[in-house]
Amino acid sequence: MDRPLQMDQHSLVTAWKEQLPTTMDDGESFRVLADDGNRSSLLIHFDAAGHQAYSLDFRCTYVDSREVAVDLLDVEQSGRHTDERTEAVQQLAQRYTRQIHECAQALQGLTNP
């Protein structure tokens, strides 16, 4: 049976900040913030490694205590909005989406006790 997320948002953000680096490559950085508009969502910002200077923003929403929905919100290159349909951006978006899902899966012991 699907159960709603019971974990408070502050604890969830802390757990994600600790777990997410284990899925990332060297040189990449990220920020995890609470989504003030939805207590079941997190806002995750990635700065990609390399000379392309891409940054991607995602919303990760807990559908229930085990499953997350991931939405790409924004893509920037060197601080400017850029087309998210390019192959390079699509590859980054897919990789970060996979990392978000891996992190959510690793945290199921906390989110789905």
Side-chain angles (χ1 to χ4, degrees), residues 56-59 70-75 84 89-90 93 97:
L56 290 83
D57 293 311
F58 293 86
R59 177 179 290 119
V70 180
D71 298 301
L72 177 62
L73 301 177
D74 187 39
V75 180
E84 65 253 12
V89 171
Q90 285 298 306
T97 298

Side-chain angles (χ1 to χ4, degrees), residues 2 10-11 17-18 31 33-34 36 47 50 55 59 62 64 70 77 79-80 86 89 93 96 99 102-103 108 113:
D2 295 339
H10 176 75
S11 299
K17 286 179 179 180
E18 292 171 1
R31 286 191 315 270
L33 303 168
D36 293 334
D47 289 313
S55 64
R59 177 179 290 119
Y62 276 84
D64 60 33
V70 180
Q77 185 175 20
R80 292 194 181 102
T86 66
V89 171
Y96 289 138
Q99 290 172 329
E102 287 173 9
C103 187
Q108 279 189 8

Side-chain angles (χ1 to χ4, degrees), residues 27-98:
E28 294 179 322
S29 62
F30 72 95
R31 286 191 315 270
V32 178
L33 303 168
D35 181 349
D36 293 334
N38 182 345
R39 73 167 203 87
S40 297
S41 293
L42 303 172
L43 301 174
I44 305 172
H45 173 88
F46 290 97
D47 289 313
H51 63 280
Q52 297 289 336
Y54 283 115
S55 64
L56 290 83
D57 293 311
F58 293 86
R59 177 179 290 119
C60 173
T61 303
Y62 276 84
V63 177
D64 60 33
S65 61
R66 295 171 302 150
E67 184 183 350
V68 295
V70 180
D71 298 301
L72 177 62
L73 301 177
D74 187 39
V75 180
E76 293 185 356
Q77 185 175 20
S78 300
R80 292 194 181 102
H81 294 287
T82 191
D83 185 357
E84 65 253 12
R85 295 170 296 192
T86 66
E87 187 173 339
V89 171
Q90 285 298 306
Q91 288 177 354
L92 280 173
Q94 288 172 5
R95 187 169 92 228
Y96 289 138
T97 298
R98 187 171 54 250

Side-chain angles (χ1 to χ4, degrees), residues 5-18:
L5 183 66
Q6 298 297 319
M7 191 171 189
D8 75 88
Q9 200 174 36
H10 176 75
S11 299
L12 193 61
V13 167
T14 300
W16 273 78
K17 286 179 179 180
E18 292 171 1

